């Protein structure tokens, strides 16, 4: 069969790497892909911001399955367009993806279905924010309602700061139209967990849990990023917790969406805070996480294409995934200045030596290839990933590989999975 993956980041490289192992796939495409992905799939040009461009690509390739990586094409309705034409596609419809593209919709949905989440207020003006703040204690979390590529959430230390951040969001200067509505939230404390499930609109099959590291600096300091690294182990979610999360969060979401007429198919990413009051939903993503997908797929033993097809065809079952009990980790190597402004086009050295470290796979997130050499082409450049029986070993191998890679301005966190290893 012919499979097309849409996207160009580390997540898509991991999807392509895993799909390529399937004996069922005769031709694998990725659009637009990147320098590293081009080693594993045929890369095709596309503008993922433009639905017509994606449909034209579908017309040209006629894939037996399309796997949508990032949220933007889902938000534009690529699944609706492909489904209408009878082209099998993995992911939620535009209406179902609203769980990600509108935080106010997600919060009200959670409340309607009595799924645990932080107390909140939805505000359409600075006056409404000031009034709502009287009901909150500092710190307060201020969120832009729409998609903001990880830049739409600020944890304000004081109510004054919360009001000024909200004003900045409303002005359009901070995150454009995504900030025309603002959600205030109670600030929760605890460990974060990325809990992903596969859904066919009715049934769900959980993936192994993972933890992202969103802040740019060691010890969770500095601004938020798209994710600087992630790890996955057996211990991150035990069987009892996994069942609880399936029955109290994932299933109620999928059943609630179906009851509301927006069947949720694809991967549902539940961003959770494990608080003293129990797990609470921080956010939903309507797609695989990046970089969580890299360590998650490194632990997947069964065929990914079978599982994705089960979602499209409406036959998901708990046994769709077979997982290794090994631990895995991904360390993101970023361009100097990221998540602020950064330069691209820096030559990357040491990739072969890094890839030769036992148990290591270097996923490309933002690279291009020219005359046999790789150059940086994005903020997050590489996802250096490793798998081993023990988390400690996997982390050691990932960092050993990172030390072999060099490019101007490179930076990465030195403490990915550090807290898990101290426990
Ligand atoms: P979100 O995009 O909603 O996941 O927010 C991005 C990050 O902000 C999360 O991964 C958390 O680290 C943090 N965050 C979001 N909501 C809250 C909350 N209610 N309490 C504490 N931290 C939060
Ligand atoms: N790693 C967080 C995300 O994919 O949104």
């Amino acid at each position: 069969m012919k499979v097309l993956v849409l996207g160009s980041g580390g997540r898509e490289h991991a999807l392509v790497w895993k799909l390529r192992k399937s004996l069922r796939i005769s031709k694998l495409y990725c659009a637009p892909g990147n320098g590293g992905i081009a080693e594993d799939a045929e890369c095709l040009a596309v503008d993922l911001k433009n639905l017509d461009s994606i449909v034209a690509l579908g017309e040209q390739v006629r894939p037996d399955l399309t796997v949508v990586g990032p949220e933007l094409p889902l938000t534009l309705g690529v699944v609706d367009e492909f489904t209408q034409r009878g082209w099998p596609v993995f992911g939620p419809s535009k209406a179902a993806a609203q769980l990600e593209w509108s935080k106010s919709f997600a919060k009200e949905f959670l409340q309607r279905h009595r799924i645990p989440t932080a107390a909140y207020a939805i505000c359409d003006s600075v006056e409404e924010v000031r009034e709502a703040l009287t009901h909150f204690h500092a710190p307060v979390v201020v969120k832009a309602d729409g998609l903001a590529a990880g830049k739409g959430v600020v944890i304000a230390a004081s109510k004054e700061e919360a009001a000024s951040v909200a004003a900045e969001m409303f002005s359009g200067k901070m995150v454009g139209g995504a900030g025309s509505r603002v959600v205030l939230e109670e600030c929760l404390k605890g460990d974060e967990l990325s809990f992903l499930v596969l859904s066919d609109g009715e049934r769900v099959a959980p993936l192994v849990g993972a933890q992202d590291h969103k802040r740019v600096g060691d010890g969770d300091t500095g601004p938020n990023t798209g994710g600087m690294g992630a790890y996955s182990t057996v211990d991150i979610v035990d069987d009892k917790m996994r069942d609880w999360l399936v029955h109290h969060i994932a299933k109620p979401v999928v059943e609630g969406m179906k009851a509301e007429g927006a069947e949720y198919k694809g991967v549902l990413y539940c961003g959770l805070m494990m608080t003293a009051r129990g797990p609470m939903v921080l956010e939903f993503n309507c797609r695989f996480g990046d970089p969580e997908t890299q360590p998650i797929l490194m632990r997947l033993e069964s065929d990914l294409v079978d599982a994705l097809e089960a979602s499209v065809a409406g036959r998901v079952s708990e046994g769709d995934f077979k997982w290794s009990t090994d631990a895995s980790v991904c360390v993101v190597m970023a361009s100097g200045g990221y998540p602020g402004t950064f330069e691209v086009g820096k030559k990357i050295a040491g990739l072969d030596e890094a890839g030769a470290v036992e148990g290591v796979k270097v996923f490309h997130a933002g690279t291009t290839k020219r005359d046999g050499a790789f150059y940086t082409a994005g903020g997050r450049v590489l996802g250096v990933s490793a798998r081993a029986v023990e988390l400690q070993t996997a982390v050691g191998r990932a960092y050993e590989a990172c030390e072999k890679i060099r490019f101007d301005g490179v930076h990465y966190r030195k403490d990915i999975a550090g807290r898990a290893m101290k426990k």
Side-chain angles (χ1 to χ4, degrees), residues 70-88:
E71 60 276 20
L72 188 61
L74 294 166
T75 296
L76 295 174
V78 69
V79 168
D80 311 62
E81 292 291 331
F82 275 42
T83 305
Q84 249 175 42
R85 290 169 172 77
W87 304 340

Side-chain angles (χ1 to χ4, degrees), residues 11 212 214 226-227 269 283 285 287-292 380:
R11 162 186 50 212
D212 189 8
K214 288 219 167 83
Y269 170 128
E283 64 157 347
N285 293 321
R287 46 157 178 91
F288 284 100
D290 191 345
E292 292 94 323
R380 293 191 288 177

Side-chain angles (χ1 to χ4, degrees), residues 136-198:
F136 283 83
H137 297 290
V140 184
V141 185
V142 186
K143 299 186 176 183
D145 185 49
L147 292 185
K151 297 192 179 78
V153 177
V154 175
I155 298 176
S158 65
K159 293 191 188 188
E160 296 73 55
E161 188 191 340
S164 79
V165 167
E168 182 86 347
M169 284 183 180
F170 286 127
S171 77
K173 278 184 234 146
M174 196 167 160
V175 286
S180 61
R181 171 172 277 186
V182 161
V183 179
L184 300 179
E185 271 184 36
E186 150 200 28
C187 188
L188 300 175
K189 289 203 174 55
D191 272 328
E192 282 187 54
L193 174 69
S194 303
F195 183 68
L196 283 67
V197 300
L198 182 76

Side-chain angles (χ1 to χ4, degrees), residues 11 27 43 89 95 104 129 133 152 237 243 276-277 298 302 329 332 358-359 370 373 384 406-407 409 423:
R11 162 186 50 212
K27 188 73 201 169
C43 290
V89 53
S104 57
V129 167
L133 280 170
V237 189
D243 289 346
R277 287 183 281 160
M298 282 197 94
S302 50
V329 65
V332 171
E358 192 186 343
R370 264 198 321 272
V384 179
R406 290 170 310 279
F407 57 88
K423 276 183 188 164

